[in-house]
């Protein structure tokens, strides 16, 4: 069930980035969340977008979101920047977390641009736990890098700020060429950076790398027709090559919660009882993909003629 929150404040925190302070009316406490969580922002006219929570999980009086204007986006960030104002009401869904902070001896946090947002509460949590950690934060310019000064002042010696116009691209080879036992890597940023980090961490132990994508991960798979069986009713539906499982389910009157329809938010995750999914999302880990116990019906397909879904 979605909540209706008021925009208590909206302010710029970097070039092209605004910070939203969303609060409930009255003295209500907001649902709990943990570092890495995001919420759905329901903006009207069919716009539903996911934004990482970047405040303090212990503060249940508000949600803080930092939103980058995306000139070539689908309209969500433009709506936030141009139309949403302090005092407005906005509908919020969630929170959900597909990017949780695991326990570890040491952390290496890698942020690119607005990818700093989910890492902010992670850095604070790691520091509160007394863990060893380091943050390497890259962006186009200092002016475009939200929160960099606050981070450097709050955690002296642990934050490396690397504006591209001053230092060039992040030296991922230096950071990741040698696996470090007991260290986990958390990374969020633009797709080229994530792909480079994944390549650089190929020799690290399984599970050492954790990434979150704001845009769909590219895939080269072809689309073939297949069937889905709904375990609860035994009903069988055909999924043609030019339609998604979600579209077929909706057309058949089967209710499945969905949001991004790009495989990045995890809202439509559905259990798989039989068959082998063809995962095309940007949410599940490699281990979860190998298990094949669920799929995102908005983008993923099937490697077998039929999938039996837990619906």
């Amino acid at each position: 069930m979605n909540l209706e929150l008021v925009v208590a404040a909206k302010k710029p925190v970097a070039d092209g980035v605004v910070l939203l302070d969303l609060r409930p009316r009255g003295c209500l406490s907001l649902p709990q969340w943990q570092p890495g969580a995001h919420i759905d922002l329901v903006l009207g006219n069919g716009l539903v977008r996911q934004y990482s929570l970047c405040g303090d999980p212990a503060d249940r009086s508000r949600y803080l979101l930092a939103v980058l204007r995306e000139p070539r986006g689908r309209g969500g960030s433009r709506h936030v920047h141009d139309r949403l104002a302090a005092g407005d009401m906005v509908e919020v869904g969630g929170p959900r977390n597909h990017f949780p902070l695991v326990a570890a001896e040491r952390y290496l946090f890698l942020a690119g641009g607005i990818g700093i947002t989910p890492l902010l509460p992670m850095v604070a949590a790691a520091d509160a736990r007394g863990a060893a950690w380091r943050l390497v934060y890259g962006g186009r310019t200092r002016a475009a890098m939200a929160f960099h000064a606050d981070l450097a002042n709050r955690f002296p010696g642990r934050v490396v700020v690397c504006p591209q116009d001053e230092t060039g691209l992040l030296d991922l080879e230096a950071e990741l060429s040698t696996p470090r036992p007991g260290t986990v890597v958390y990374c969020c940023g633009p797709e080229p950076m994530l792909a480079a980090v994944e390549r650089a961490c190929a020799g690290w132990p399984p599970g050492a790398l954790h990434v979150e994508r704001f845009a769909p991960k590219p895939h080269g798979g072809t689309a073939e027709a297949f069937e889905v069986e709904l375990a609860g009713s035994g009903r069988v539906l055909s999924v043609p090559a030019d339609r998604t499982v979600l579209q077929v389910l909706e057309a058949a009157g089967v209710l499945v919660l969905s949001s991004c329809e790009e495989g990045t938010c995890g809202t439509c995750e559905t259990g798989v009882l039989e068959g082998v999914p063809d995962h095309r999302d940007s949410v599940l880990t490699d281990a979860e993909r190998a298990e094949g116990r669920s799929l995102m019906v908005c983008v993923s397909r099937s490697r077998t003629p039929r999938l039996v879904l837990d619906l």
Side-chain angles (χ1 to χ4, degrees):
M1 180 175 167
N2 289 350
L3 298 174
E4 194 172 52
L5 305 182
V6 63
V7 181
K10 173 185 173 182
K11 65 177 183 180
V13 289
D15 287 350
V17 181
V18 294
L19 182 70
L20 296 182
D21 183 342
L22 306 180
R23 305 197 181 206
R25 289 178 290 188
C27 299
L28 296 176
S29 291
L30 292 169
Q32 293 180 330
W33 62 278
Q34 298 298 322
H38 68 265
I39 60 172
D40 299 329
L41 213 55
V42 183
L43 301 170
N45 298 320
L47 290 176
V48 181
R49 298 293 182 266
Q50 291 72 43
Y51 296 105
S52 297
L53 292 166
C54 60
D56 179 1
D59 182 359
R60 296 179 62 187
S61 70
R62 64 179 179 174
Y63 286 153
L64 295 180
L65 313 173
V67 180
L68 170 68
R69 177 190 285 276
E70 296 278 8
R72 293 187 294 274
R74 297 178 296 156
S77 67
R78 290 195 300 273
H79 183 102
V80 170
H81 277 255
D82 298 339
R83 299 183 60 183
L84 207 59
D88 287 350
M89 301 301 300
V90 63
E91 191 176 341
V92 167
R96 287 184 295 275
N97 198 342
H98 293 278
F99 192 45
L101 184 66
V102 301
E105 298 175 22
R106 289 175 295 278
Y107 298 91
L108 173 61
F109 298 105
L110 302 173
I114 198 62
I116 189 63
T117 53
L119 302 185
L120 289 174
M122 291 189 178
V123 163
D127 195 70
R129 294 175 185 176
W133 65 270
R134 184 164 170 267
L135 167 66
V136 181
Y137 180 13
R140 297 188 312 277
T141 65
R142 286 183 186 271
M145 297 170 67
F147 313 113
H148 75 84
D150 291 340
L151 283 164
N153 290 333
R154 184 179 175 187
F155 304 111
R158 292 199 173 191
V159 178
V160 181
V161 177
C162 303
Q164 186 175 341
D165 62 341
E166 299 176 25
T167 63
L169 294 174
L170 295 183
D171 189 352
L172 297 178
E173 179 67 21
E175 297 292 341
L176 301 169
S177 59
T178 303
R180 304 170 200 170
T183 298
V184 293
V185 179
Y186 275 82
C187 181
C188 187
E191 180 58 35
M193 175 186 177
L194 296 181
V197 168
E198 287 176 331
R199 289 193 298 269
C201 285
W204 284 59
L209 174 62
H210 302 259
V211 302
E212 182 170 61
R213 286 176 159 84
F214 292 141
K217 183 177 182 178
H219 66 82
T222 59
E224 304 288 344
F226 59 98
E227 294 179 335
V228 292
E229 179 181 338
L230 312 185
S233 63
R235 191 177 179 187
V236 176
L237 303 173
S238 296
V239 182
D242 61 349
R243 303 189 74 193
T244 66
V245 177
L246 177 62
Q247 290 170 337
V248 169
L249 292 172
E250 290 179 335
V254 180
L255 177 62
V256 177
L257 294 178
S258 65
S259 182
C260 73
E261 299 189 12
E262 292 184 323
T264 58
C265 75
T267 305
C268 69
E269 184 172 3
T270 301
V272 175
L273 302 179
E274 295 180 28
V276 181
D278 178 7
H279 296 291
R280 303 188 180 194
D281 65 277
S282 303
V283 176
L284 296 176
T285 65
D286 289 342
E288 290 169 333
R289 289 167 182 254
E291 288 176 352
R293 295 179 180 177
S294 68
L295 84 165
M296 306 303 158
V297 293
C298 67
V299 292
S300 296
R301 303 188 69 81
S302 180
R303 297 185 182 278
T304 50
R306 178 178 292 189
L307 290 178
V308 180
L309 303 182
D310 190 13
L311 290 173

